[in-house]
Amino acid sequence: MTVTLADVAARAQVSPATVSRVLNGNYPVAAATRERVLRAVDELDYVLNGPASSLAAATSDLVGILVNDIADPFFGIMAGAVQSEIGGPGGRAGGERLAVVCNTGGSPERELTYLTLLQRQRAAAVVITGGAIEDAEHAAALTTKLQRLVDAGTRVVLCGRPPAPETGAVALTFDNRGGGRALTEHLLALGHRRIGYIAGPEERTTTRHRLEGHRDALAAAGLPPGTELTLHGPYDRATGHAATIELLRREPALTAVVAANDTVALGACAALRESGRRIPDDVSVAGFDDLPFSVDAVPALTTVRLPLAEAAARAGRIAMGREQAPPGGVATVRGELVVRGSTG
C-alpha cells in the first residue's frame, strides 16, 4: 500500500500543507514540527513523488557523501576523491551527477536525518565516510535505513568504517587496529616504556580499534595494563594540547605520546614545547593518518599513512557501478608506518 502525504500528516499530527512545506523546504517551519514530520516520514518510509516509488530502481542524479567534519582534512580529502569519480555515463545532465556533501558534525541524529533526505530524493548512491558510532539503538536505526536505501536501488558504500552486515552496503574498512599496534611497537623498539596515549571520542569505532592496537602492542611487550596512560577527547588540536599537559602532570617522566590523529599530535607537540620538552630528544610524538601537513611539522611527524584519497576514489567508482565490489562486499585497507623526525 502506497504511503501518501496525508498519511504522514496524520502520523505527525499536522496539516498536509505543513508536511509539504517541510519536504520542499520553501517555507519556515518550527524546528520541533519539522523534526516530528521527518520522524513520521522515516517511520512510514514515505518517498517524495509517490508515483516514482513504483518504478524499480528509479534513482536520481544525486550522490550523497556523508562526512563528520568537512573542515577536517581527513574528511575533506575523502569527499573530494569520491566526487572526482562520480561523473561519466549514467547521469541525465550530460553524464554528470550532483554530489551533495552532508556534514553530520558527529551527530548520530543528523546522520540518520541526512540518510532519510537522500532516500526521499532517491539518490543514485550514498558514500558514508569515517568511523561508526558505537550505540546499539543508533546501530539498529542505521541498519534499517541502509537496508531501505539499498532496497530502493541506491548503491551504498561505507568508506573507513566497519561493515554493516545484512544491509547490502559495501564496506572499505581501514585497518586502524593494525596501524595502532605498529605505532606503539615502533616506540617500544626505541626503548620507550612511559608512553601516553591520546585517544579520540570513546563512542567511535575508529577510537576503539586504534586503542586496541596500542594495547595489544603493550601486552605483547609484557607491560601490565595498569601502566597504561590514556585520555580521550575530540579529534582536534585543542585535545592534543590539553591532554598532553594532563599526561605530563600524571607522569612527569613521560617519554612518548601517541596521538589519535595528526591534528591531535600537533597540539601535543605545542604543549611539549611550552613545557620545555624537546621533540624527540625528551619526548617522542606519533600521529595517525599522514595528513598533508604531517611532513611539514617541525620535526616531521611519525605517523600511519592511510591511503585516504585512493580508498575514497575506489568507493566512488563502486558507488557508480564502474568497479566491482570486493568479494563478500568487504575489503580491508591497510595503512603504512611512516617514521620521521618526531620519534627520532
Side-chain angles (χ1 to χ4, degrees):
M1 178 178 174
T2 302
V3 177
T4 67
L5 186 140
D7 295 327
V8 175
R11 175 66 68 91
Q13 296 183 325
V14 298
S15 69
T18 298
V19 174
S20 179
R21 289 166 181 165
V22 170
L23 297 183
N24 292 325
N26 58 3
Y27 193 87
V29 177
T33 302
R34 180 178 179 277
E35 287 300 317
R36 203 161 66 246
V37 170
L38 290 178
R39 190 180 310 115
V41 166
D42 191 25
E43 291 170 352
L44 295 174
D45 199 15
Y46 175 72
V47 178
L48 193 63
N49 185 16
S53 64
S54 63
L55 301 177
T59 56
S60 69
D61 290 321
L62 183 68
V63 176
I65 307 169
L66 270 66
V67 300
N68 188 0
D69 180 6
I70 194 61
D72 186 329
F74 178 95
F75 293 102
I77 289 169
M78 289 202 287
V82 172
Q83 186 167 0
S84 71
E85 296 290 339
I86 68 169
R92 289 190 288 274
E96 293 299 320
R97 294 187 186 271
L98 174 65
V100 175
V101 179
C102 305
N103 197 86
T104 68
S107 165
E109 293 80 11
R110 196 173 298 172
E111 181 174 77
L112 294 174
T113 296
Y114 280 134
L115 292 175
T116 296
L117 295 172
L118 290 166
Q119 181 190 359
R120 288 215 325 268
Q121 296 298 324
R122 305 197 67 80
V126 173
V127 178
I128 308 177
T129 64
I133 296 168
E134 296 197 301
D135 175 82
E137 184 177 347
H138 175 69
L142 181 63
T143 294
T144 299
K145 187 63 62 182
L146 296 182
Q147 288 172 334
R148 288 177 178 174
L149 280 162
V150 172
D151 289 346
T154 299
R155 288 192 180 93
V156 179
V157 183
L158 312 176
C159 187
R161 69 166 55 193
E166 301 179 4
T167 64
V170 174
L172 305 179
T173 180
F174 295 148
D175 182 19
N176 288 302
R177 188 178 287 104
R181 177 165 183 151
L183 271 180
T184 301
E185 286 177 339
H186 166 65
L187 292 170
L188 291 167
L190 293 175
H192 294 285
R193 292 299 181 269
R194 295 183 176 89
I195 304 173
Y197 191 97
I198 307 174
E202 293 187 73
E203 70 276 8
R204 291 277 169 180
T205 54
T206 300
T207 298
R208 178 168 62 82
H209 293 158
R210 292 181 182 183
L211 183 53
E212 285 174 350
H214 170 69
R215 288 171 172 167
D216 287 346
L218 294 179
L223 296 180
T227 62
E228 180 188 327
L229 287 167
T230 301
L231 297 174
H232 289 269
Y235 289 109
D236 57 28
R237 181 188 180 280
T239 292
H241 187 275
T244 300
I245 291 173
E246 176 61 18
L247 287 172
L248 290 172
R249 186 191 69 79
R250 295 186 186 184
E251 179 51 84
L254 193 74
T255 66
V257 174
V258 180
N261 67 4
D262 296 334
T263 305
V264 174
L266 287 187
C269 289
L272 289 169
R273 285 192 294 269
E274 290 169 10
S275 72
R277 269 79 166 182
R278 298 167 300 165
I279 306 169
D281 304 75
D282 301 319
V283 181
S284 289
V285 179
F288 208 112
D289 297 333
D290 196 25
L291 296 175
F293 60 76
S294 301
V295 71
D296 295 320
V298 181
L301 282 174
T302 288
T303 185
V304 170
R305 176 181 296 147
L306 289 178
L308 300 177
E310 294 86 345
R314 184 183 181 190
R317 291 191 298 271
I318 293 172
M320 291 297 94
R322 298 209 311 272
E323 180 175 321
Q324 282 192 334
V330 178
T332 299
V333 179
R334 304 193 185 283
E336 173 191 0
L337 177 66
V338 180
V339 178
R340 299 193 179 111
S342 67
T343 60

